[in-house]
Amino acid sequence: MNALTVVSLAVVAVCSGAQLPWYPGLYGAHPGLHSWYRSGLPLMPQPTMKAMAPGPMAYNMAPFASMAPIYSQYGAQNEFGQYAFGYNAGFNARAETRDAFGNVRGSYNYLDADGKVQTQHYVADALGFRVSGTNLPEAPAPAVPEYTPEVAAARAAHQAAHSEASAAAAATPATQ
């Protein structure tokens, strides 16, 4: 088995060296220093240059942010069930802690498809799981109900009956 491994490695080394005969290797000299390169014999087809009218050059490159992300992470845990962990990878980050009573608090953020940083905060404790975030939808304000004519007439009749019953109760003397 060892002989097969040695032979395989030797074949790979020989084959990989033959792929680029003009390349002297990682630690070798520059290919321009070789005698066959200086002799003018082309090893590869040389491109031909055409004369162009002078003019401004334009580059079609998209702009990019040159901010280097910060990569860090941490983690800790003890015998009481408490823990804390987190990481920071540029626009993606997370942090979470748990205390001895089982309360968990944390947050995370990420870069969404529109290029905005979205942040979520969450808590899990005796009151349940609660979350707040920058991309959560908000409920619309409740609209004031408008009553149909039938409902408006029934409400007016009920209010009149209630007022009449209240007046009758106030006129009757209390007995003990």
Side-chain angles (χ1 to χ4, degrees), residues 12-26 29 31 34 36 43-44:
V12 168
V14 169
C15 290
S16 64
Q19 289 177 3
L20 301 171
W22 61 89
Y23 184 69
L26 185 61
H34 291 294
W36 69 80
L43 296 176
M44 296 188 307

Side-chain angles (χ1 to χ4, degrees), residues 39-123:
S39 67
L41 298 174
L43 296 176
M44 296 188 307
Q46 301 295 320
T48 58
M49 300 294 290
K50 295 182 181 179
M52 295 176 54
M57 295 187 67
Y59 294 98
N60 294 329
M61 291 181 60
F64 64 94
S66 61
M67 184 179 121
I70 300 169
Y71 295 104
S72 64
Q73 63 182 6
Y74 64 92
Q77 185 174 358
N78 67 8
E79 63 273 3
F80 302 115
Q82 300 173 338
Y83 65 82
F85 70 88
Y87 67 89
N88 185 353
F91 293 114
N92 299 327
R94 180 174 180 198
E96 183 175 300
T97 60
R98 181 178 188 266
D99 62 13
F101 301 108
N103 301 321
V104 177
R105 298 182 194 297
S107 67
Y108 63 92
N109 60 11
Y110 61 93
L111 192 64
D112 70 359
D114 296 328
K116 297 179 183 175
V117 176
Q118 301 293 340
T119 303
Q120 283 14 346
H121 298 278
Y122 57 91
V123 176

Side-chain angles (χ1 to χ4, degrees), residues 127-164:
L127 299 175
F129 183 79
R130 300 179 306 279
V131 65
S132 65
T134 56
N135 64 345
L136 296 177
E138 295 182 14
V144 177
E146 295 183 20
Y147 300 114
T148 61
E150 294 84 12
V151 172
R155 286 177 58 90
H158 176 72
Q159 184 64 38
H162 186 276
S163 299
E164 185 180 315

